[in-house]
């Protein structure tokens, strides 16, 4: 059947990135905090009462601690935070989606 599911996602990670703001490539450690409030729309199919396929797509509000200069200073890495995709600086639209496959047990 079909469903609508609200989700709240929050996360933190750190990574190394090349900063180009000085004109020379300098490796810097970045700490990123992100989150999203997403409304997911999905559909599940059950085959033989044992096998499940679930696909979904979500749209909502996303945020992170990356300032507007972030996208000019660092090599293009987009605004993907593993589980959400943010549209970029200044815009707070987030997307999510996925496909789940599973075995149902009782």
């Amino acid at each position: 059947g079909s469903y609508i599911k609200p989700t709240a996602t929050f996360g933190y990670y750190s990574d190394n990135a090349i900063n180009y703001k000085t004109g020379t490539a300098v490796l810097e450690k970045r700490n990123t905090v992100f989150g999203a409030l997403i409304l997911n729309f999905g559909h599940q199919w059950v085959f033989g009462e044992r096998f499940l396929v679930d696909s979904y797509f979500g749209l909502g509000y996303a945020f992170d601690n990356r300032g507007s200069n972030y996208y000019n200073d660092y090599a293009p890495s987009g605004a993907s935070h593993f589980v959400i995709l943010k549209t970029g600086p200044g815009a707070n639209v987030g997307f999510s989606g996925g496909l789940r496959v599973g075995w149902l047990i009782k």
Side-chain angles (χ1 to χ4, degrees):
S2 298
Y3 64 88
I4 298 174
K5 178 177 77 169
T7 59
T9 304
F10 300 98
Y12 166 84
Y13 64 92
S14 62
D15 62 355
N16 294 319
I18 297 175
N19 186 327
Y20 291 99
K21 68 183 169 190
T22 62
T24 59
V26 178
L27 190 63
E28 291 183 358
K29 183 174 181 176
R30 304 181 296 184
N31 296 315
T32 302
V33 176
F34 67 93
L37 298 172
I38 303 284
L39 191 58
N40 289 307
F41 302 90
H43 191 81
Q44 295 180 339
W45 296 270
V46 177
F47 301 98
E49 296 183 16
R50 299 303 259 167
F51 187 71
L52 174 81
V53 176
D54 178 7
S55 66
Y56 65 95
F57 172 78
L59 178 68
Y61 175 78
F63 61 90
D64 59 27
N65 66 335
R66 296 178 176 179
S68 60
N69 287 335
Y70 173 88
Y71 297 93
N72 296 327
D73 294 344
Y74 293 99
S77 60
S80 175
H81 301 299
F82 303 105
V83 295
I84 60 170
L85 175 63
K86 186 172 173 264
T87 55
N92 290 323
V93 177
F95 299 96
S96 69
L99 177 68
R100 292 186 278 228
V101 177
W103 188 258
L104 301 174
I105 57 176
K106 292 184 179 183

